[in-house]
Amino acid sequence: MFVKVCGLGSTADIDATVAAGADAVGLVISGTSVRGLDRDRVTRLAAHVPSSVLSVLVVNDTPATEAARLAGELGFGALQLHGAAYRAEDFAAAARIFPRLWRATSLSEGPDTRVGACGEEVLLLDSPRAGSGDRWDLSLIETARPEGTWMLAGGLSPENVGEAIGRARPWGVDVSSGVESAPGVKDHDRIRAFVAAVQRATATNPS
C-alpha cells in the first residue's frame, strides 16, 4: 500500500520517512497551516528528497497556476491541490504547466468522488479540517467509495491505521498530525510505527 507522510519540516524528517519505507513525502506551502514552509525551506527540502521517493508539493491557498510553476521549478514529482477552493478550471490551468496533479478534498464538501474527475491522477479524501488530526466517519465511504487510485487521510495514526485500511480499503494512506509529538513537530518513532502498521495491515487485508 502506498504511504505518504505529509507536513515534513526538516531534512531529518525526510531521512526518517525515507528510512521507514514511505513512498512519498509531502511539503506544505500555506499561510494558514502550522506545517507551512516558506519558499526557501521548500526549495532546500525538495532538493533533499531522494529520487526513489515521490516528492509532493501541497498547497491550499496558493493560486493553482503559481503552485504548478513552483512544483516544476523545484523538481517535485506531484502537486496536491487541497480543498474546495480549487475548481475543475484550476486543475485544467495547472495541468497545462505541471501535469501530475493530486486532488484532496473532504466528503463534507460534496465532491465528485470519481478519481480523475478534475484530471487528477490521485484523489485524497481527508477530514473536513485538514491537518487537524480529526477522525471522520468512515461509514460515509460506503456510499461514496471512490474507485481507482485514491488515498485515505484524516486522523490516521499508528494506532488506528490498520482498522481504517480494513474498513475503507484505499489504494494508499496519508498521515501528518498522527505522527507528531506536537503540532508541526514530527516524531520519527511514530513515523516508523505508522509505516510498519500499514505494512501489517496490508498483509492482513490484501487488495
Side-chain angles (χ1 to χ4, degrees):
M1 178 165 294
F2 193 92
V3 180
K4 171 171 164 272
V5 181
C6 199
L8 305 185
S10 69
T11 56
D13 289 347
I14 293 171
D15 290 342
T17 299
V18 172
D23 302 284
V25 301
L27 303 178
V28 179
I29 288 184
S30 170
T32 59
S33 172
V34 67
R35 301 167 191 89
L37 307 172
D38 59 34
R39 176 167 175 153
D40 287 345
R41 285 184 70 191
V42 166
T43 300
R44 178 170 58 86
L45 294 181
H48 189 74
V49 180
S51 59
S52 59
V53 174
L54 182 69
S55 58
V56 183
L57 177 62
V58 180
V59 299
N60 68 351
D61 54 9
T62 302
T65 53
E66 179 183 334
R69 283 192 292 270
L70 185 60
E73 290 171 5
L74 299 185
F76 276 90
L79 169 63
Q80 179 177 315
L81 300 179
H82 203 119
Y86 296 107
R87 305 294 185 181
E89 54 267 29
D90 295 307
F91 280 85
R96 288 191 287 270
I97 301 169
F98 187 86
R100 296 196 65 185
L101 302 179
W102 291 19
R103 174 167 60 103
T105 187
S106 165
L107 290 180
S108 66
E109 297 168 348
D112 189 330
T113 57
R114 294 174 301 168
V115 179
C118 291
E120 78 279 1
E121 65 178 61
V122 175
L123 172 66
L124 188 149
L125 293 182
D126 201 353
S127 67
R129 293 197 306 132
S132 65
D134 293 345
R135 296 192 69 180
W136 52 281
D137 185 0
L138 292 182
S139 67
L140 297 174
I141 290 287
E142 296 173 6
T143 57
R145 185 184 304 279
E147 294 184 2
T149 309
W150 76 278
M151 299 186 70
L152 180 66
L156 298 180
S157 69
E159 293 77 19
N160 65 32
V161 69
E163 175 194 1
I165 288 171
R167 293 189 64 186
R169 302 192 305 277
W171 168 80
V173 290
D174 180 288
V175 68
S176 185
S177 60
V179 291
E180 292 180 343
S181 58
V185 181
K186 290 294 184 283
D187 182 314
H188 299 171
D189 287 337
R190 288 187 65 76
I191 291 174
R192 288 187 283 271
F194 183 86
V195 176
V198 173
Q199 292 169 342
R200 288 193 300 271
T202 303
T204 305
N205 300 278
S207 57

